[in-house]
Amino acid sequence: MMKKEWLAVLAAGLLLAACQKSGDGVGPAEQAGRKLDQLTEKTGQEWTKAAQEASEKLNLAARDAKEKIDAASERAGEKMEEAGQKLKDSNNTPEASKDGKEQEK
C-alpha cells in the first residue's frame, strides 16, 4: 500500500508544479490555453479570407459563363432566323411554286 500512496503523492506534486503560476501570475495551462485561442482565431481568420476569395472567384466564373451562354444563345437564335428565312425564300421561288402546284394536282 505504501507504493500506491507514494505514487499518488508524486502525481499530485507533479500536477501542482505544472499548474504553478510564473512571475506574471499566469500558469502554464493558462499560457497554453491563450496560445491555443490565438492560433484558433488566426486559423479562423485565414479560413474566412480563403472562403471569401474562393467565393469571389466562383462569382466571376459564373458571370463569365453566363455571358458566354447568352452570346451563344444569341448566335444560335440568329442562325435559326437565317435558316428560317432561307427556307421561306426557297418556298417562294418560281420552281417551288411550280413544284407545289404539280403536287397538288
Side-chain angles (χ1 to χ4, degrees):
M1 283 256 192
M2 191 76 137
K3 206 175 204 184
K4 287 184 182 180
E5 290 172 358
W6 172 249
L7 287 174
V9 170
L10 181 62
L14 287 173
L15 284 173
L16 286 174
C19 293
Q20 281 192 355
K21 297 180 179 187
S22 60
D24 61 358
V26 178
E30 191 170 341
Q31 287 176 346
R34 288 180 182 177
K35 286 182 182 180
L36 183 61
D37 289 344
Q38 290 171 350
L39 248 172
T40 303
E41 184 176 334
K42 183 179 177 183
T43 302
Q45 290 171 352
E46 290 171 356
W47 275 99
T48 300
K49 183 179 177 183
Q52 288 172 340
E53 289 173 359
S55 177
E56 289 172 11
K57 288 179 182 179
L58 285 171
N59 286 338
L60 288 173
R63 190 175 315 130
D64 185 46
K66 181 189 179 306
E67 289 172 2
K68 288 180 180 179
I69 289 170
D70 289 346
S73 295
E74 182 70 27
R75 285 192 305 272
E78 290 169 359
K79 294 290 183 183
M80 289 181 74
E81 285 180 23
E82 289 174 14
Q85 187 62 44
K86 285 180 182 179
L87 185 60
K88 184 178 177 182
D89 291 346
S90 70
N91 286 332
N92 289 333
T93 63
E95 283 183 15
S97 298
K98 186 178 176 185
D99 289 343
K101 289 180 184 176
E102 288 179 10
Q103 289 177 359
E104 289 178 12
K105 291 183 183 179

